[in-house]
Amino acid sequence: MPELIDLTARIHEDMANHPAHGKSPVFLTGTRMNHEETEDTWRGKGVEDMSVMNGFVLFAEHNGTHVDAPIHIHPDGEGIDEVPLEECYGPAVWLDLSDAGPREGIGPASLEAAAEDADVEVRPGDIVLLHTDWDRHLPDDRDAYLEDHPGLSEAGAQWLHDRDVSLVGIDCGNVDVSGATALPAHQVFLRRDVPEKHTLVAENLRGIDRIPDHRFTFSATPLPIEGATASPVRAVAICDEN
C-alpha cells in the first residue's frame, strides 16, 4: 500500500485565514443536532439505540487549504466546477525554499537551485509544491504567518508557468509575497494567458517537508461548486512504499 501524507490545514473557527477572505468557518449555533436530541425521532418506533448528529457550516471559498480557479483572477476564466480533475491529481515534486526570508520574492534562481538540490526536473504536467516552512509559525504567531510570508516573484511564477506545470502549491496563505497588492504571481498563473492557459494555485498547505521523496503523486481535488472561485480540498501526497 502507498503511504498517504495529509497536507491539509485542520478546519476550525479560529484558523488563520487571509484577511481578504474574512473569518470562516462558522459553525452556526443551533444547526448541529446532537445525539441526545435525535433519540426522540426513533423512540417508540421499534428502533433501539439510534441517534444522529449533523450540522451547518458557513465556509469561505478561499479559507483553509484550497485551490484557486481561474475565474478568481480573470472574468473569462473557468469556475472551480469546470477545472479538469486531472489538473489537481498527478505527478508532483516538492522544492525546499525554506531559506526564503520574510516577504522575500522567490525567483527563478532559487527555484532552479532547489530543483538541483532535490535532483528533480520540473516537467510539463507536474504539480509543484513549494516548502517555505512558513507554516511553522502556526498556531503561535499567526501575524507572522499571514503578514510576513515569502512567496513567488513575478519572474518565479513565470518560470513555473513556462514549464507548463498544472498546479503550484505553497505552505503560506498566499502564493504571492505578503503585501504584494498587485498579486503578480496570481496574475501570471490565472490571468495572463487565460482562457487559453492557466496554472492552478493551492494555498495553506501543511508539512510539505514530511514527504519522503521529492517526486511523488499529489491529489487535491476540489468540490464541484458551480461558478465558485475556489474550493476547499483535502491535499494528500501519495508516496510509493519503500
Side-chain angles (χ1 to χ4, degrees), residues 82-214:
E82 301 172 299
V83 169
L85 290 179
E86 291 81 3
E87 295 180 9
C88 307
Y89 174 88
V93 299
W94 74 270
L95 304 179
D96 189 349
L97 284 309
S98 58
D99 287 341
R103 298 200 174 200
E104 180 176 336
I106 298 168
S110 295
L111 294 168
E112 290 173 356
E116 182 176 353
D117 288 345
D119 194 24
V120 293
E121 177 186 359
V122 177
R123 305 167 184 163
D126 274 349
I127 292 166
V128 180
L129 305 188
L130 307 178
H131 168 62
T132 70
D133 197 30
W134 217 250
D135 52 336
R136 72 183 186 274
H137 291 289
L138 293 176
D140 297 328
D141 193 350
R142 59 193 301 138
D143 288 343
Y145 178 76
L146 294 172
E147 298 174 12
D148 295 329
H149 64 77
L152 287 168
S153 68
E154 181 176 359
Q158 193 67 54
W159 187 89
L160 291 163
H161 190 61
D162 287 344
R163 280 156 180 74
D164 293 323
V165 302
S166 63
L167 182 149
V168 174
I170 196 166
D171 52 4
C172 303
N174 191 340
V175 72
D176 276 287
V177 176
S178 179
T181 54
L183 302 178
H186 274 86
Q187 290 203 45
V188 168
F189 291 144
L190 298 174
R191 187 176 182 93
R192 184 163 296 172
D193 299 322
V194 170
E196 286 78 17
K197 176 185 175 181
H198 62 251
T199 301
L200 297 177
V201 172
E203 295 164 326
N204 287 313
L205 295 170
R206 296 287 184 267
I208 293 172
D209 60 331
R210 291 181 292 119
I211 304 170
D213 298 314
H214 282 273

Side-chain angles (χ1 to χ4, degrees), residues 6-10 65 205 218-222 231-237:
D6 194 350
L7 308 175
T8 315
R10 184 170 294 276
T65 306
L205 295 170
F218 180 74
S219 175
T221 50
S231 169
V233 295
R234 190 71 177 260
V236 179

Side-chain angles (χ1 to χ4, degrees), residues 43 45 56 89 108 119 133 151 155 173 196 215-216:
R43 191 169 289 139
K45 297 180 181 179
F56 188 97
Y89 174 88
D119 194 24
D133 197 30
E196 286 78 17
R215 183 162 284 282
F216 56 100

